[in-house]
Amino acid sequence: METIRERQGIDTGSCASGVGNKAGEPALGVPALITLLRDISLGSSSVQLIDQLRGLEDLKWAVTGLQARAAVALDIAQRREQTVAGVPASEQGQGVAAQLALARRESPNRGSRLLGLAKALVTEMPRTLAALESGQLSEWRANLLVRETAGLSAEDRCAVDEELAPDAGTFEGAGDKAIIAAAKAAAYRRDPRSVAQRASHAATERAVTLRPAPDAMTYLTALLPVAQGVAVYAALTRKADSARSGGDSRTRGQVMADTLVERITGRRGGISGVELEVIMTDRTLLQGDGEPARIKGYGIVPAAWARGLVGAGGAAATGGGPAPKQDEEFAVWLRRLYTAPSTGELITMDSKARLFPPRLRRFIEVRDDTCRTPYCDAPIRHIDHVVPWRSGGTTTVDNSAGLCEACNQTKENPGWTAKRVVEDVHTLEVGTPTGHSYRSSAPPLPGHVRRPPSPVGT
């Protein structure tokens, strides 16, 4: 790997090293490197395979380090170009993380974290970056060191980096907890006040999040101050222990989960004044078809499970088994969706509903499911004009896209464009200030198989 780093002109000498690529020096072509990797033959013995696995891991982290340098170089280049374009200093750098995310096929949120990690490594923690590039430290563990020193000044962070000297092998054989402990101790020795202030500020970031889990389950996560978190867990534990001692046949974990749902929603079934949108074909609902359904905000769920949720009838609908008992507090409302038979493109839908937002917004939310920016699957918060209204864009289904708040704001930055591409289904093409293009298409509704998308040049 030394040969690759030398040809890239990488400098990992000090905290002021910056990006370090030598001006005018040709870079190793990435396509050529990919071709070289494809030509590598696997070893024939266990010893050779282990050595290859270790070497490939070193290569992976060396590439990650180079990506960090490229990310910082991109930020610098974008700010320079924005200065020439007359963008105010306070607004320079906006949209860089989103471009990084698109290039790495990650979500915008992940792009912001990757850019922050890159800046910290390149400008303030060169020895951690050197450990990453030499394969001594994974990207995750480098991120742990960056995270645990986040409250320090640039000078103190650089001093901690020097003290820990990750590139000297100080974390050889160490696990995540050991690395976190070492970073915390070093940070506290440098600036105990900032560490205490960071802990105090952390309480303001308390939140509750939801993400999908396998088999029609979800992870409901609460980030709480330690006292509140321990108290909640203790209360659920006491309830579970009491129920189990009274003969409850549920497991301890089941009682805790059910108690959490009941105490928050006020109902044992858990659905209280909340609309749960389940999208399925008429065949799945009425004829026992196996085509999976989709729950808005979650994703694909098994057909039989969806029928059971809405109490759809009889042994035929449940694949021969007994019909599930529907929650008495669960009211089912049906709304018909009409799609083009050949493509599955959503055409229209019933408009009658109780306590629903306007029909057009509802239509777009059903069609797009999550944010339409490529690689972003955040919940839809804004219904956006693809061609802005101020530029003559119409308020129509074709000129619409469901976006999360962050992506809608990013789209307004200079150099960003969006347009609809004529395809079988609604397709959005996003253009970035560097001239690269990325596409996303509305997800297929249940009952339709998506054809391969048309190629897009970048």
Side-chain angles (χ1 to χ4, degrees):
M1 293 310 304
E2 284 300 322
T3 302
I4 293 177
R5 287 201 296 275
E6 288 169 2
R7 292 181 66 179
Q8 288 287 5
I10 294 173
D11 172 22
T12 57
S14 67
C15 285
S17 63
V19 176
N21 286 338
K22 297 178 181 178
E25 182 176 351
L28 177 66
V30 175
L33 179 59
I34 294 174
T35 300
L36 180 63
L37 288 173
R38 289 173 178 166
D39 291 338
I40 293 177
S41 300
L42 293 179
S44 58
S45 68
S46 298
V47 173
Q48 291 175 333
L49 289 169
I50 287 293
D51 289 341
Q52 281 187 326
L53 287 169
R54 176 65 263 165
L56 290 171
E57 194 72 9
D58 291 346
L59 175 63
K60 181 167 65 176
W61 301 133
V63 170
T64 300
L66 189 57
Q67 279 185 313
R69 293 185 180 278
V72 174
L74 172 65
D75 183 63
I76 294 172
Q78 284 282 286
R79 290 174 183 274
R80 184 168 54 244
E81 293 165 11
Q82 290 169 355
T83 299
V84 174
V87 176
S90 61
E91 299 178 9
Q92 291 177 12
Q94 293 182 0
V96 175
Q99 293 182 70
L100 171 63
L102 288 169
R104 291 191 58 169
R105 300 184 180 181
E106 299 278 6
S107 70
N109 180 271
R110 173 73 172 156
S112 296
R113 286 183 278 133
L114 287 170
L115 181 58
L117 172 65
K119 288 182 176 180
L121 290 174
V122 173
T123 63
E124 299 172 359
M125 304 184 74
R127 301 199 67 166
T128 300
L129 177 59
L132 178 65
E133 292 177 320
S134 63
Q136 297 179 70
L137 210 61
S138 69
E139 183 180 32
W140 168 245
R141 290 180 173 172
N143 183 68
L144 293 177
L145 292 172
V146 170
R147 187 185 70 186
E148 296 303 329
T149 57
L152 301 178
S153 65
E155 181 182 358
D156 284 338
R157 195 180 223 175
C158 187
V160 168
D161 182 60
E162 186 68 29
E163 176 185 338
L164 297 178
D167 60 324
T170 53
F171 293 122
E172 183 69 29
D176 291 353
K177 291 183 179 179
I179 291 175
I180 291 171
K184 281 184 175 180
Y188 189 79
R189 285 193 294 269
R190 295 297 304 183
D191 189 354
R193 177 177 296 181
S194 70
V195 174
Q197 289 176 342
R198 181 182 169 195
S200 177
H201 174 73
T204 66
E205 299 177 343
R206 59 191 183 277
V208 177
T209 57
L210 183 73
R211 57 191 176 93
D215 304 322
M217 300 289 283
T218 59
Y219 295 107
L220 177 67
T221 304
L223 178 63
L224 300 172
V226 61
Q228 295 178 10
V230 170
V232 169
Y233 190 80
L236 295 175
T237 300
R238 285 195 301 269
K239 175 64 177 179
D241 291 342
S242 175
R244 293 279 293 167
S245 63
D248 197 315
S249 61
R250 293 173 293 172
T251 66
R252 191 166 181 264
Q254 289 172 344
V255 176
M256 294 174 69
D258 294 345
T259 302
L260 175 67
V261 171
E262 185 174 357
R263 289 187 177 180
I264 291 177
T265 66
R267 300 186 183 185
R268 188 167 185 173
I271 300 173
S272 175
V274 177
E275 182 176 3
L276 187 67
E277 296 189 58
V278 185
I279 304 169
M280 65 179 79
T281 66
D282 54 354
R283 302 179 302 280
T284 296
L285 177 65
L286 303 174
Q287 300 175 10
D289 190 74
E291 177 68 33
R294 188 178 83 194
I295 291 185
K296 181 181 175 183
Y298 174 82
I300 299 299
V301 294
W305 185 93
R307 284 192 294 271
L309 177 67
V310 301
T318 57
K325 182 178 180 181
Q326 185 186 351
D327 190 331
E328 295 179 355
E329 298 175 336
F330 190 80
V332 177
W333 295 74
L334 297 180
R335 177 184 293 105
R336 291 172 295 178
L337 307 177
Y338 299 91
T339 60
S342 60
T343 65
E345 169 81 312
L346 186 60
I347 299 172
T348 187
M349 67 190 295
D350 283 345
S351 61
K352 294 182 180 179
R354 190 182 77 168
L355 301 178
F356 285 164
R359 181 186 180 193
L360 185 59
R361 179 183 181 92
R362 173 65 61 116
F363 182 95
I364 297 164
E365 289 177 339
V366 170
R367 181 196 68 192
D368 292 350
D369 192 40
T370 59
C371 177
R372 282 292 299 283
T373 298
Y375 314 115
C376 181
D377 55 4
I380 293 174
R381 294 287 182 256
H382 297 167
I383 303 300
D384 181 58
H385 289 77
V386 177
V387 177
W389 180 81
R390 62 179 178 274
S391 301
T394 57
T395 306
T396 60
V397 170
D398 288 345
N399 192 47
S400 64
L403 299 177
C404 68
E405 183 175 356
C407 288
N408 194 28
Q409 292 174 351
T410 297
K411 176 178 172 286
E412 299 302 315
N413 290 323
W416 287 81
T417 61
K419 66 179 181 180
R420 188 199 175 198
V421 179
V422 179
E423 292 283 357
D424 289 339
V425 294
H426 191 273
T427 300
L428 180 69
E429 182 172 301
V430 175
T432 68
T434 59
H436 292 79
S437 298
Y438 305 87
R439 288 184 183 179
S440 72
S441 298
L445 291 172
H448 293 275
V449 178
R450 177 63 47 80
R451 296 190 302 180
S454 301
V456 56
T458 57

